[in-house]
Structure formats: C-alpha cells, structure tokens
Amino acid sequence: MNLFDVYSLYDIEPVRGEGSYVFTADGTRYLDLYGGHAVISIGHAHPRYVKAVSDQVARLGFYSNSVKNGLQETLAEKLGRQSGYDDYALFLCNSGAEANENAMKLASFTTGRSRILAFDRAFHGRTSGAVAVTDNPKIQAPFNATDNVVFAPLGDIEAVKKYLATGEFAGVIIEGIQGVAGIRMVDDEFLRQLREACDATGTLLILDEIQSGYGRTGRFFAHQHAGVRADIVTCAKGIANGFPMGAVLIAPSIEAKKGMLGTTFGGNHLACAAAIAVLDVMADEQLVANAAEVGNYLLERLNDIAGRCDEIVEVRGRGLMIGIEIKGSASDLRKRLLFDKKIFTGGAGEHTVRLLPALGITKEQADVFLENFEQLLKTV
C-alpha cells in the first residue's frame, strides 16, 4: 500500500526535536520557526511534557466519555483561569475542524437559526461544515456546497450589519488573525463593532483561535487585544503541543443538553495530560509574555529590514504570528532558508512567508533567522 499523495513534501525527515530545533537522522540541526503549523507551543520534547505524557500512558491512556475523567476537570479549571474564560464550559474534541463544527452546531441549536456568516479568505478546516465556512473553492467538494453560509468582506461592518439584520444567522465565525490567508489582521475596532452587531441581533460570535490562540500573539487569545469576549471560542494547534486535541469554550448562556455533542476520543486521558502539561509550562515559564516580547522584537527588526529592502512588500502580525509578504516567490525563499540555512518557515499563498515558532523562542534564535533572511533577500 502507498500513501495517498496529497502533500507536497520536502526531502527532509526530522527524527527528534529539542526546544526550537529539530534534527535529522544524520544529526543535522534545523531552527524551527514554524512549529509544525503552530502546533509546537512549548517547544519540542519539553522534559515536563515528556514526563507528563509518559507517566499518564503508563497509568491509563484511554477510556471513554461514559465515565468521569478528573483530568478533564483539571484542564478546564487551568484553561479557564489562564485564558480569562473561567466562567465558560469546556467541550473537548480532537482537532480544530471538529471544534469549529461543534461551535457552529451549538450556535444553531441555541438560536434555532440555520445560517452562518463567515469572511472572505477565511480558513476554518477541512471537514464538511468547516469547509463550508472556508473561502477556498479548491478544497470544497460538491458535497460541501450549502446555501447556509454567506461570506462578508473582512472589516466591512456595514455589510455584516446588513446580513445580521435579517435575523437568519445563528453565528458569525471569525479568526483572531487570518493565518492561511497570509497573517491577515482583524482590526480591533471592527471586532468591537462586530460584537455589538451580534448582541443587537441575537447572533452568537464564534472566535476561531485555533492558530492565533494559546498565547501566540502575546495575549492568551488574539481577540483579547480588542477587549471583547466571544460566545464561543475554538482552540486546537498548540493546545497539546503535538498531541491531537481540540476544544470549544462555551458561554454560560448556552445550555448543555445530554447528547447534543459527542466524541469517542475527545478529552481522553493522554490528551488531557498533554494539555495540562502545556498550560503548566506556559504559566511557569511565562511563555505568553515571551511571545509578546520576542514577537515585538521580530516585528521591529523585520520592519527595519523592510525599510532598506525593496523586496519586502509588508510585514504583518502580532506576537509570534508573523507574515512577511515579498515581491518574489515565498516558496523559493523558504526552500533556500531550509536547504541553505537550515531554517524551517511556513508559507501562506504565493508571496508570504509565515512564522509560527514555539512560544519560548529566544531573541538570539530570532537573530539567526533575521540575519539569514536579510542575507537571502539581497540575492532574490
């Protein structure tokens, strides 16, 4: 049997990791500025994480959600306290797409309405409902087509108000920062006005913080920079530092009913142990503050480089969620960073290099990237 050939692969195989580095079998070290799509939040193979997961799997790796699981309660308490959403309820699942699916179902169950408002260039996942609110026809099969989703221009509050005034929309789903679209920022004032528009029409506000959450922007969630609270928040990516997990944070006004949501693997013992270790390390090592500090440093230095290099079109981002739009091919530049300089970066479209490193990255490691990035830019 062969693998289903849907991924474009680099001819590199990391076999172990340590902090912000990964290594191939021959010992070659690579600086990881991408964290496996923003998944590695506390660093590769963090000792406390390794111990927590190892100890848990030696005790009990899995049992179903038909019995109590105290680890889920511990995770809910810690996540609520650190995120500022301590009065919300927690539903645990397995991925970001699944979190968004459940968030939209909850909005529809709660309001009795069937439509969802999303935004142009949004990305919310690859399962059926998540694809429907993703503005990318390349990943939408005919099966996924629906009249229940409408896309509005990001930042156009008047268009949003016009749609919501119909009273047909159960929820609005929006990313804290659009990641796949190229680190496309959501204006703080737009988010505040969006919150008001949702309140005025009985529409639930769903914040997709799958990529932009968990401390990445220097606040626990990106939307907290705007001082708003969502009715539903979705998480995944960095929640368990590589162990598959998703989560839905649900406002107290939304009533839980037996059987309305469910999952086989969601919130299993091993996943919870991993997620608890992540929160403990984030708190003890002050990783959210580090993301703000090193992220601001990277953004300032990148803007300095942009000031003396015409090849850079724009630098966008917050904290350690950064997009660098260039005039040339981002793919070609990323390949040279990887193969010539041993630095992993991400992409977003034809012209944007995307940085999503572990939250503990140091300024010294940032400098390694900056020096090599500027050097390569001069030869583009």
Side-chain angles (χ1 to χ4, degrees):
M1 181 181 290
N2 297 318
L3 295 174
F4 198 48
D5 190 15
V6 293
Y7 297 116
S8 298
L9 301 177
Y10 291 121
D11 190 21
I12 292 174
E13 183 180 2
V15 297
R16 70 179 183 91
E18 182 180 333
S20 291
Y21 296 99
V22 292
F23 302 80
T24 52
D26 65 0
T28 302
R29 187 180 76 169
Y30 295 81
L31 178 61
D32 185 6
L33 269 292
Y34 196 52
H37 303 299
V39 167
I40 301 301
S41 49
I42 61 171
H44 296 281
H46 192 289
R48 290 179 63 182
Y49 175 85
V50 171
K51 185 176 188 308
V53 172
S54 299
D55 288 351
Q56 183 59 48
V57 77
R59 291 191 297 268
L60 178 66
F62 176 82
Y63 206 78
S64 79
N65 284 307
S66 62
V67 296
K68 287 185 176 182
N69 180 350
L71 292 170
Q72 292 183 355
E73 296 173 4
T74 299
L75 175 58
E77 186 276 326
K78 288 177 181 285
L79 177 54
R81 175 159 35 86
Q82 291 187 40
S83 69
Y85 277 94
D86 57 305
D87 57 335
Y88 278 43
L90 179 65
F91 177 77
L92 295 168
C93 52
N94 306 283
S95 69
E98 189 181 345
N100 284 334
E101 294 269 353
N102 282 293
M104 291 184 287
K105 284 176 64 178
L106 278 173
S108 187
F109 276 135
T110 301
T111 63
R113 303 172 185 174
S114 59
R115 307 194 82 185
I116 297 290
L117 183 68
F119 292 93
D120 65 313
R121 297 174 64 182
F123 185 91
H124 296 289
R126 292 178 179 269
T127 54
S128 186
V131 163
V133 291
T134 291
D135 186 22
N136 184 348
K138 292 181 180 179
I139 65 170
Q140 189 177 89
F143 168 75
N144 300 127
T146 175
D147 294 330
N148 285 332
V149 176
V150 173
F151 292 96
L154 184 68
D156 189 341
I157 193 61
E158 294 307 318
V160 170
K161 288 179 178 178
K162 184 177 179 180
Y163 284 124
L164 298 191
T166 65
E168 299 174 349
F169 289 85
V172 176
I173 187 167
I174 185 170
E175 295 161 86
I177 295 174
Q178 288 190 337
V180 174
I183 313 300
R184 197 172 175 216
M185 302 294 290
V186 179
D187 184 75
D188 289 347
E189 182 56 29
F190 174 72
L191 267 186
R192 289 189 281 267
Q193 292 179 5
L194 180 59
R195 175 70 275 178
E196 292 173 2
C198 286
D199 288 340
T201 56
T203 310
L204 299 188
L205 178 58
I206 303 168
L207 253 299
D208 176 343
E209 293 280 5
I210 288 160
Q211 188 174 134
S212 56
Y214 256 76
R216 180 148 299 281
T217 67
R219 298 290 298 272
F220 200 91
F221 293 125
H223 68 269
Q224 291 172 325
H225 289 280
V228 301
R229 284 169 73 82
D231 297 299
I232 303 173
V233 182
T234 57
C235 311
K237 298 292 188 187
I239 189 172
N241 203 52
F243 198 98
M245 193 177 206
V248 187
L249 281 62
I250 304 159
S253 59
I254 298 174
E255 181 183 359
K257 297 178 181 178
K258 302 297 184 187
M260 71 189 306
L261 303 179
T263 170
T264 296
F265 294 104
N268 66 74
H269 295 73
L270 198 51
C272 286
I276 290 167
V278 166
L279 288 172
D280 287 344
V281 170
M282 285 177 64
D284 292 347
E285 298 185 8
Q286 300 182 348
L287 294 186
V288 180
N290 188 73
E293 181 181 354
V294 180
N296 288 339
Y297 177 75
L298 269 166
L299 286 164
E300 289 172 7
R301 289 286 309 279
L302 284 166
N303 278 304
D304 288 343
I305 294 171
R308 56 181 180 267
C309 181
D310 291 339
E311 184 60 28
I312 294 180
V313 175
E314 186 179 22
V315 177
R316 299 182 292 270
R318 254 180 177 154
L320 293 175
M321 187 171 183
I322 297 172
I324 311 158
E325 184 177 344
I326 65 172
K327 292 178 181 177
S329 168
S331 176
D332 290 346
L333 180 57
R334 291 176 56 226
K335 286 178 183 176
R336 293 184 64 191
L337 281 165
L338 180 58
F339 291 105
D340 297 347
K341 305 299 183 180
K342 305 297 184 285
I343 299 173
F344 270 101
T345 57
E350 185 179 353
H351 299 291
T352 301
V353 176
R354 190 164 31 149
L355 306 182
L356 299 162
L359 305 184
I361 187 174
T362 65
K363 288 183 180 179
E364 292 74 19
Q365 290 166 334
D367 282 335
V368 171
F369 164 75
L370 290 162
E371 178 182 344
N372 285 285
F373 181 74
E374 183 172 12
Q375 183 185 105
L376 288 180
L377 273 178
K378 293 176 179 178
T379 63
V380 171

